Amino acid sequence: MHIVTRPQLPVLDLSQLSGTATEQALFLQQLRHAARDVGFFYLVGHGISDHRQQQVLQLAKQFFALPSAAKKAVQMIHSPHFRGYTGVAGELTLGQPDQREQFDIMREDIVSGLPESTEPWRRLIGPNQWPEAMPGFKDEMLGWQQQLSDLTETLLGAFMQALELPADALQPTIAAGPYQHMKLIRYPGQQASSSKQGVGAHKDPGYLTLVLQADQSGLEVLTDDGWVGAAPLPGAFVVNIGELLELASNGYLKATLHRVTSPVAGIERYSCAFFMAAQLDATVPLLQLPSHLAAEAKGPASDPRNPLFYQVGQNVLKGRLRSHRDVAASHYADLDLAG
């Protein structure tokens, strides 16, 4: 399949949601079509300033510029909760190493108790790791993560309205706070001997994903016209549908394959991805769509290599174990899932 380089993803303006009745109706119509037909779109009018976005990207650059020893001190291998630093080729997609380094953050929690064999996903709950060399980093990142979480909750309500359901239709699944997962990411330039797989083709597991990109392209989305480049749009987030939202809507909303191709030699790419899902102890319901929408639902896509679970914690843990086998071997060796 060929790569389409001209922008082809829809651009939606969230400020319309608080506008006139006509503007609201237009936004919800555009949202429904973008989510059903493509599964990806640019979001503007979200109220988060470009200055704030650039601050976060600059902090990401500062973190990745730290000495190797400082980053290794907060390596994910030290965390049973899958938080912290992963070096280049340290995460797998479809069994192949991704050519990127990243720093994973989730909601800052206390450990929920001793591991429970009947609910091993509870081991995901706990604190983050933070680099000692950047004392203000923790507060900045947790504040940013909460901003993005609030934005995704607004979007989730809009999706429900677009499906002609109450805005709070999925509220019981996030009542205690949605599952939050954020990655700061650096993609190094391609080397002659290295793979071009910044991140292999995959779908995101949660409800919604927000991606903030710096000025380098690389994100690509699989559409009916082939792979489409999602080039950075100043001030915009790239939004995509996750598999849990596809499950909840019986496939009416579309989780779409996407990937990142490594930048050319001598160029680095930076981004921040935020993943929002239902709380870990939730079970995702099957939404009762109006009959005319239910008739158009295609059913969720099924991949026998990556079965989906309606129980959120189980689904999240499965993905973490597949992607970070070193953490799985170190902290989850007692589970069959780790094999």
Side-chain angles (χ1 to χ4, degrees):
M1 284 180 283
H2 65 289
I3 303 296
V4 181
T5 56
R6 63 186 184 277
Q8 290 196 356
L9 298 181
V11 180
L12 276 65
D13 185 347
L14 185 61
S15 67
Q16 292 180 303
L17 190 61
S18 55
T20 66
T22 300
E23 289 174 328
Q24 291 176 22
L26 177 60
F27 176 80
L28 293 175
Q29 181 185 47
Q30 292 173 335
L31 183 64
R32 184 169 65 250
H33 289 311
R36 176 172 171 77
D37 298 337
V38 185
F40 266 79
F41 58 90
Y42 293 102
L43 186 72
V44 298
H46 43 67
I48 298 178
S49 71
D50 183 66
H51 176 70
R52 179 64 171 144
Q53 294 176 348
Q54 295 307 311
Q55 279 184 318
V56 169
L57 291 171
Q58 186 58 38
L59 283 169
K61 293 177 183 179
Q62 290 177 21
F63 171 78
F64 291 118
L66 290 174
S68 177
K71 291 186 287 188
K72 287 183 177 179
V74 290
Q75 270 187 301
M76 188 181 287
I77 190 67
H78 304 310
S79 169
H81 322 299
F82 293 91
R83 328 286 180 93
Y85 173 72
T86 303
V88 174
E91 182 173 18
L92 305 178
T93 302
L94 294 178
Q96 299 301 312
D98 295 325
Q99 301 304 306
R100 64 177 180 175
E101 58 176 341
Q102 61 194 26
F103 186 73
D104 284 63
I105 303 164
M106 300 175 194
R107 192 166 71 177
E108 188 78 8
D109 284 313
I110 61 172
V111 175
S112 63
L114 294 174
E116 301 177 37
S117 60
T118 56
E119 294 182 318
W121 56 263
R122 290 190 179 275
R123 302 185 208 179
L124 295 168
I125 301 170
N128 294 293
Q129 300 190 81
W130 301 104
E132 290 185 2
M134 297 178 67
F137 190 62
K138 174 180 178 179
D139 288 344
E140 289 286 349
M141 289 298 100
L142 290 179
W144 173 248
Q145 180 170 248
Q146 190 59 51
Q147 278 187 282
L148 299 187
S149 184
D150 293 344
L151 178 54
T152 55
E153 286 197 52
T154 298
L155 272 174
L156 188 65
F159 273 109
M160 297 302 97
Q161 291 176 280
L163 294 175
E164 301 177 22
L165 297 171
D168 62 355
L170 285 176
Q171 184 61 30
T173 71
I174 59 171
Y179 173 73
Q180 301 174 346
H181 180 196
M182 185 168 72
K183 291 177 181 281
L184 302 177
I185 310 168
R186 172 186 170 268
Y187 298 89
Q190 297 175 22
Q191 304 298 319
S193 60
S194 69
S195 163
K196 296 181 180 180
Q197 177 177 305
V199 177
H202 66 284
K203 298 179 181 181
D204 291 341
Y207 276 156
L208 293 170
T209 301
L210 299 176
V211 178
L212 172 64
Q213 306 183 85
D215 53 0
Q216 292 297 324
S217 298
L219 177 61
E220 298 166 357
V221 180
L222 185 59
T223 72
D224 292 340
D225 297 321
W227 286 99
V228 172
L233 182 65
F237 291 99
V238 178
V239 181
N240 65 277
I241 310 300
E243 292 172 313
L244 289 184
L245 199 51
E246 183 176 83
L247 273 177
S249 65
N250 195 32
Y252 187 92
L253 302 176
K254 181 179 183 180
T256 302
L257 281 169
H258 54 287
R259 67 188 184 190
V260 175
T261 299
S262 298
V264 298
I267 300 294
E268 298 176 317
R269 177 179 183 268
Y270 293 89
S271 67
C272 172
F274 174 75
F275 311 91
M276 179 264 221
Q279 59 204 46
L280 290 174
D281 63 356
T283 298
V284 174
L286 182 62
L287 296 167
Q288 298 302 305
L289 302 181
S291 58
H292 63 285
L293 297 182
E296 299 176 355
K298 302 174 182 178
S302 177
D303 182 350
R305 298 170 299 176
N306 185 29
L308 296 175
F309 306 124
Y310 284 85
Q311 202 292 314
V312 177
Q314 185 183 10
N315 209 52
V316 171
L317 179 60
K318 175 206 65 176
R320 299 279 79 201
L321 294 172
R322 286 165 57 95
S323 298
H324 295 277
R325 293 180 182 171
D326 55 345
V327 181
S330 181
H331 299 285
Y332 293 84
D334 58 307
L335 303 183
D336 291 338
L337 287 171

